[in-house]
């Protein structure tokens, strides 16, 4: 490999989870105890009451979207040989991504490469016009289906399109790249045996401390009008500080890698939510390394702990599960796919808890809350995704 | 003369009163009772709040730990009171046998059955069992009896000695899930393949479905119609009634949509454990 920082996608099931649910629970308890027992200690940090969330324009400078930038290069590298091959053994490449990808990574990647995208509406229209000529759909060199989870609903009447697509994919004349969310993939394996058609799915490698630190640091490198410091609000330490000789970032980056499960868009959202500015606009720490030029210090607050949903909130868990499978649903679709939601007011309570948000009448799980939601569903016995 | 002999025998059987540490015995008894009480409170609490995968293991540890503590306490206390020799052992065993034979036969039978049940495991805490027509979740396994909580939220106490004479039907045997069946009775004139496919999709799209277990439909032709059984597993056995209700509710709608016509009378046999027949 030319650049060792580029990590190619790997077969599904080989994801190196940065932490286990047990470790995360222990960390959660430790952090809670620390907060209770050592509330007054603030070793060199800043008074949290002086902090306010960084403004959007500043965030867009220091942590600019997209939340998946490193994956673009990695996917290019992964598919390089396959794309250049004339008649590959496997004409279908299946890419599995964790949920909460708000920016639709595969769609933007395909757009950048100018690959045609097969939408559900196009597919249904063409199929209804010429049901016997299903293979005509695939007359382009490479076709991309970015989000297979948009093609179905978990309902007995809404699986037909996926099944039709899978039957068409039995002998695809050209190369096809299919993206699917990891929760939807597990469901489709059961309901449609998708893994019999889309074999050997791939997923990206988990973002560990080092890789995450390098990426987040690079997001602010282009800023020229001011020097930027990222300091821990608690300790005053530099978030991107490498310990000499160890290449190990400080505790914050390690915590971020653990809590985000190594998923870039989850980490990116948590990172942005953690950045705060000093409302007094005074440099809070005497820092010998600070130059005369304009220095902006961004304070990093501790990561927010979401309350784990448990079995007592069964309706909430059912709604969260369906939102993960479908990446987002309207209220009508939630009622279609969850047996009891129409009897309860669970959706407002989920929004209130910060786990779900609503954008243009579509409810989504909040990316920063995804690790807590996944842990909660797993603990309650729900079938979870495999990466 | 005879009285003196009896007194001597008793003196041999029991340790000297001065040597018996009643405080120690009281502490052992008190400690055992306290530890058992703690286990019976703490473990179900942890099982309820901990990961679902560990629930049945945690609950299953309660009777085993209790038996271990009771046996340990007995083995600790007996030498403190009795002068244990082979001769004395037979005297104590003989006396106990007479007492048990006349007064506590059934009680002791249940106690022994309780010990056997711990090792043979016809049921355990958290299992769903049917004993003598009573179907429910084993909420506790006591020394003498178990307690079942039925779907109607009744608590039924069943003595362990039922395992000597009755069949015990255990739906999950320590597993996290159990098979659930939704029944549908249709007029015979229809496309059975279409109905099976539709019902399978109903099962596959249930929010409660366990992906690791099979989901299938069994069709049976009866004199009065066609009987469909949609069989699938929920991911948590505590959801079994919600799961069956969900499959039944959506199954009825789905069958009607594809032209199935349900029979107006329920000819189903008596409901079996783990099942709720549509129309029961």
């Amino acid at each position: 490999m030319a650049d060792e920082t580029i990590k190619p996608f790997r077969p599904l099931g080989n994801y190196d989870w940065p932490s286990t649910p047990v470790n995360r629970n222990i960390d959660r308890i430790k952090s809670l105890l620390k907060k209770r027992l050592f509330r007054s200690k603030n070793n060199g940090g800043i008074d949290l009451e002086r902090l306010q969330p960084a403004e959007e324009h500043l965030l867009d400078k220091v942590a600019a979207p997209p939340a998946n930038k490193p994956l673009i290069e990695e996917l290019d590298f992964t598919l390089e040989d396959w794309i250049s091959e004339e008649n590959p053994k496997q004409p279908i490449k299946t890419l599995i991504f964790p949920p909460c990808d708000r920016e639709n990574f595969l769609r933007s990647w395909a757009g950048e490469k100018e690959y045609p995208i097969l939408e559900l509406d196009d597919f249904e229209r063409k199929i209804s016009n010429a049901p016997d000529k299903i293979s005509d759909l695939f007359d382009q060199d490479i076709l991309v289906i970015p989000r297979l989870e948009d093609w179905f609903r978990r309902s007995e009447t809404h699986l037909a399109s996926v099944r039709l697509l899978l039957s068409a994919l039995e002998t695809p004349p050209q190369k096809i790249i299919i993206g699917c969310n990891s929760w939807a993939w597990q469901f489709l394996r059961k309901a449609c045996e998708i893994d019999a058609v889309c074999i050997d799915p791939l997923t990206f490698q988990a973002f560990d401390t080092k890789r995450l630190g390098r990426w987040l640091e690079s997001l602010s490198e282009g800023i020229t009008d001011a020097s930027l410091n990222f300091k821990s609000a608690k300790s005053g330490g530099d978030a991107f500080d490498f310990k000499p000789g160890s290449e190990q970032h400080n505790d914050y980056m390690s915590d971020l890698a653990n809590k985000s499960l190594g998923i870039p868009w989850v980490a990116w959202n948590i990172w942005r939510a953690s950045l705060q500015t000093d409302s007094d606009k005074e440099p809070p720490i005497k820092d010998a390394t600070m130059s005369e030029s304009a220095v902006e210090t961004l304070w990093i607050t501790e990561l927010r702990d979401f309350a784990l949903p448990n079995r007592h909130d069964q309706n909430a868990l059912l709604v969260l599960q369906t939102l993960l499978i479908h990446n987002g649903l309207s209220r009508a679709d939630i009622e279609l796919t969850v047996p009891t939601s129409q009897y309860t007011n669970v959706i407002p309570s989920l929004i209130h808890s910060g786990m779900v948000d609503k954008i243009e009448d579509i409810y989504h799980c909040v990316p920063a809350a995804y690790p807590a939601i996944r842990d909660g569903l797993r603990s309650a016995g729900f079938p979870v995704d495999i990466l | 003369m005879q009285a003196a002999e009896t007194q001597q025998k008793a003196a041999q059987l029991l340790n000297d009163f001065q040597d018996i540490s009643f405080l120690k015995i009281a502490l052992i008894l008190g400690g055992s009772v306290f530890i058992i009480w703690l286990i019976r409170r703490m473990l179900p609490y942890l099982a309820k709040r901990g990961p679902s995968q560990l629930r049945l293991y945690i609950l299953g540890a309660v009777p085993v730990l209790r038996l271990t503590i009771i046996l340990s306490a007995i083995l600790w206390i007996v030498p403190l009171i009795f002068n244990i020799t082979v001769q004395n052992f037979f005297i104590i065993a003989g006396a106990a046998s007479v007492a048990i034979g006349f007064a506590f036969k059934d009680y002791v039978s249940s106690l022994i059955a309780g010990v056997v049940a711990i090792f043979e495991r016809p049921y355990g805490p958290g299992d769903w069992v049917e004993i003598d027509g009573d179907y429910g979740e084993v909420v506790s396994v006591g020394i003498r009896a178990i307690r079942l909580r039925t779907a109607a939220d009744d608590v039924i106490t069943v003595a362990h000695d039922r395992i000597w004479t009755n069949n015990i039907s255990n739906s999950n045997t320590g597993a996290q899930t159990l098979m659930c069946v939704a029944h549908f009775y249709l007029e015979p004139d229809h496309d059975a393949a279409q109905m099976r496919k539709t019902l399978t999709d109903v099962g596959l799209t249930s929010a409660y479905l366990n992906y690791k277990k099979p989901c299938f439909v069994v069709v049976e032709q009866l004199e009065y119609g066609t009987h469909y059984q949609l069989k699938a597993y929920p991911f948590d056995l505590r959801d079994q009634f919600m799961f069956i209700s969900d499959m039944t509710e959506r199954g009825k709608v789905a069958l009607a949509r594809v032209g199935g016509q349900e029979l107006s009378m329920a000819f189903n046999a008596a409901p079996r454990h783990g099942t709720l027949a549509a129309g029961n």
Side-chain angles (χ1 to χ4, degrees):
Chain A
M1 197 189 303
D3 184 354
E4 67 169 19
T5 59
I6 297 178
K7 294 186 180 288
F9 281 38
R10 290 205 298 208
L12 201 65
N14 295 306
Y15 195 78
D16 292 323
W17 295 95
S19 61
T20 63
V22 175
N23 287 343
R24 284 195 293 279
N25 277 332
I26 292 171
D27 287 349
R28 199 170 285 126
I29 292 165
K30 268 163 59 180
S31 139
L32 197 72
L33 286 174
K34 264 187 188 172
K35 269 183 201 165
R36 290 270 163 87
L37 298 174
F38 307 108
R39 196 173 292 174
S40 59
K41 289 196 174 180
N42 203 1
N43 307 321
I46 185 173
D47 182 2
L48 295 180
E49 291 188 2
R50 284 171 51 183
L51 296 179
Q52 61 187 13
E55 286 174 16
E56 201 69 21
H57 72 89
L58 182 59
L59 287 176
D60 286 342
K61 275 185 178 180
V62 299
N68 48 42
K69 207 174 177 186
L71 294 184
I72 297 171
E73 228 177 347
E74 292 173 1
L75 185 57
D76 284 343
F77 181 79
T78 306
L79 298 182
E80 200 176 16
D81 294 341
W82 179 80
I83 287 171
S84 60
E85 230 175 307
E86 192 101 337
N87 289 307
K89 275 185 187 172
Q90 287 183 18
I92 305 168
K93 277 283 174 198
T94 311
L95 305 171
I96 308 298
F97 300 99
C100 303
D101 168 19
R102 296 272 169 104
E103 290 159 318
N104 199 343
F105 163 68
L106 196 57
R107 171 181 283 277
S108 48
W109 176 85
E112 213 172 83
K113 306 284 171 200
E114 296 181 352
Y115 293 139
I117 289 170
L118 180 60
E119 302 284 6
L120 174 62
D121 294 342
D122 291 342
F123 177 76
E124 285 177 341
R125 195 173 49 248
K126 286 176 181 175
I127 285 294
S128 63
N129 291 342
D132 53 333
K133 293 202 172 178
I134 205 162
S135 60
D136 291 353
L137 287 167
F138 307 118
D139 56 356
Q140 288 110 336
D141 184 32
I142 292 179
L143 199 63
V144 179
I145 298 173
R147 276 185 169 167
L148 196 57
E149 59 267 28
D150 292 343
W151 285 52
F152 73 94
R153 292 286 176 264
R154 191 181 58 188
S155 155
E156 67 277 9
T157 51
H158 292 73
L159 292 173
S161 299
V162 170
R163 286 183 173 151
L164 211 53
L165 175 72
L166 292 179
S167 66
L169 292 178
E170 280 173 12
T171 51
Q174 294 300 332
K175 289 182 269 192
I176 295 169
I177 299 169
I178 296 177
C180 186
N181 139 6
S182 52
W183 287 72
W185 176 258
Q186 288 304 319
F187 170 72
L188 290 174
R189 279 183 66 199
K190 180 69 182 170
C192 303
E193 296 177 337
I194 191 172
D195 50 341
V197 178
C198 303
I199 55 173
D200 300 334
L202 303 171
T203 191
F204 61 80
Q205 294 187 42
F207 279 65
D208 56 15
T209 308
K210 192 176 150 190
R211 191 167 162 219
L212 202 55
R214 198 183 292 134
W215 170 45
L216 293 178
E217 193 173 18
S218 74
L219 292 181
S220 59
E221 274 171 359
I223 297 169
T224 53
D225 55 343
S227 299
L228 275 173
N229 289 321
F230 293 89
K231 290 179 183 292
S232 161
K234 194 177 156 197
S235 66
D238 189 341
F240 297 120
D241 188 23
F242 279 92
K243 286 178 184 166
S246 72
E247 289 201 338
Q248 178 66 48
H249 280 90
N250 69 11
D251 287 348
Y252 178 83
M253 276 301 153
S254 173
D255 275 359
L256 183 59
N258 289 343
K259 290 199 176 182
S260 65
L261 309 178
I263 301 166
W265 38 85
V266 174
W268 183 83
N269 275 283
I270 296 175
W271 171 244
R272 279 173 67 105
S274 304
L275 296 176
Q276 311 263 319
T277 51
D278 183 355
S279 53
D280 292 354
K281 296 279 181 189
E282 292 278 333
I285 297 173
K286 295 267 182 197
D287 190 341
T289 62
M290 280 166 65
S291 65
E292 293 294 320
S293 62
V295 173
E296 184 86 47
T297 297
L298 281 165
W299 296 96
I300 302 159
T301 51
E302 281 191 41
L303 310 178
R304 178 183 172 185
D305 277 327
F306 288 89
L308 286 182
N310 60 36
R311 232 197 102 77
H312 301 294
D313 310 316
Q314 178 79 333
N315 288 340
L317 292 171
L318 289 167
V319 171
L320 291 169
Q321 187 207 23
T322 198
L323 290 180
L324 290 180
I325 289 174
H326 297 95
N327 246 339
L329 287 175
S330 66
R331 192 173 186 109
D333 280 339
I334 291 173
E335 287 173 5
L336 176 76
T337 55
V338 176
T340 52
S341 65
Q342 62 268 42
Y343 308 127
T344 66
N345 288 316
V346 68
I347 297 173
S349 77
L350 284 172
I351 292 175
H352 183 70
S353 72
M355 292 194 181
V356 169
D357 59 9
K358 185 182 176 185
I359 302 167
E360 292 172 358
D361 288 335
I362 301 293
Y363 297 92
H364 304 265
C365 287
V366 171
Y370 172 62
I373 294 170
R374 188 181 188 279
D375 284 351
L377 289 171
R378 188 180 177 280
S379 178
F382 280 72
V384 294
D385 64 338
I386 293 171
L387 283 178
Chain B
M1 182 70 179
Q2 203 176 357
E5 269 180 27
T6 314
Q7 204 173 4
Q8 198 181 356
K9 275 184 186 171
Q12 285 168 350
L13 186 61
L14 296 172
N15 289 326
D16 286 341
F17 255 52
Q18 299 94 311
D19 294 341
I20 298 174
S21 172
F22 289 102
L23 180 65
K24 195 173 180 181
I25 292 169
L27 283 175
I28 294 169
L29 283 175
S32 303
V33 169
F34 176 70
I35 293 170
I36 290 171
W37 176 84
L38 203 64
I39 286 170
R40 292 185 65 177
R41 293 285 178 285
M42 285 295 291
L43 292 192
Y45 178 86
L46 290 174
K48 204 172 175 182
R49 282 157 184 79
S52 176
Q53 300 89 327
L54 297 178
R55 192 178 79 92
L56 294 184
Y57 296 110
I58 297 172
L59 288 175
V62 175
V64 176
L65 288 174
R66 195 191 52 230
L67 180 67
T68 309
I69 291 163
I70 289 172
L71 285 178
S72 306
I74 290 170
L75 291 175
W76 201 351
I77 289 172
V78 165
L80 296 177
I81 300 172
F82 295 102
N83 178 24
I84 300 294
T85 61
V86 176
Q87 194 184 358
N88 286 348
F89 174 77
F90 283 117
I91 292 170
I92 296 167
S97 304
V98 172
I100 290 164
F102 281 101
F104 302 111
K105 183 171 70 68
D106 290 340
Y107 193 87
V108 172
S109 175
S110 290
L111 294 185
I112 293 168
V115 175
V116 171
I118 286 173
F119 294 104
E120 212 172 80
R121 219 183 175 286
Y123 40 66
D127 284 353
W128 280 79
V129 298
E130 184 185 354
I131 305 172
D132 259 0
D134 294 320
Y135 179 66
E137 182 186 12
V138 179
V139 288
S140 71
V141 178
I143 298 173
R144 189 193 67 81
I146 60 169
R147 287 179 171 219
L148 297 183
R149 175 168 285 127
T150 67
D153 210 22
D154 297 327
V155 174
I156 299 168
T157 304
V158 183
H160 287 301
D161 65 356
R162 296 281 190 94
I163 66 171
W164 305 136
T165 54
N166 288 74
N167 291 332
I168 313 289
S169 167
N170 192 325
S171 297
N172 61 308
T173 331
Q176 303 289 330
T177 187
L178 78 182
M179 180 186 274
C180 293
V181 186
H183 297 265
F184 303 91
Y185 295 87
L186 298 186
E187 295 285 355
D189 186 20
H190 59 258
D191 179 354
Q194 174 69 39
M195 298 299 159
R196 274 186 83 185
K197 192 171 173 295
T198 303
L199 283 178
T200 305
D201 278 351
V202 167
L204 288 171
T205 52
S206 174
Y208 299 102
L209 185 72
N210 184 332
Y211 294 172
K212 291 178 184 165
K213 293 282 187 176
C215 169
F216 57 97
V217 174
V218 175
V219 190
E220 188 183 9
Q221 192 58 40
L222 303 173
E223 293 163 4
Y224 44 81
T226 310
H227 178 201
Y228 287 86
Q229 296 175 68
L230 172 53
K231 300 188 175 191
Y233 294 77
F235 56 76
D236 191 311
L237 50 84
R238 287 170 288 181
D239 295 325
Q240 59 180 300
F241 298 113
M242 297 296 283
F243 184 44
I244 294 167
S245 303
D246 179 48
M247 290 195 296
T248 305
E249 179 187 324
R250 291 188 305 115
K252 286 166 77 76
V253 175
L255 288 176
R257 194 180 53 247
V258 293
Q261 196 179 346
E262 287 195 76
L263 288 172
S264 55
M265 287 180 67
F267 291 92
N268 190 14
R272 303 202 318 259
H273 61 268
T275 71
L276 282 180
N280 271 345

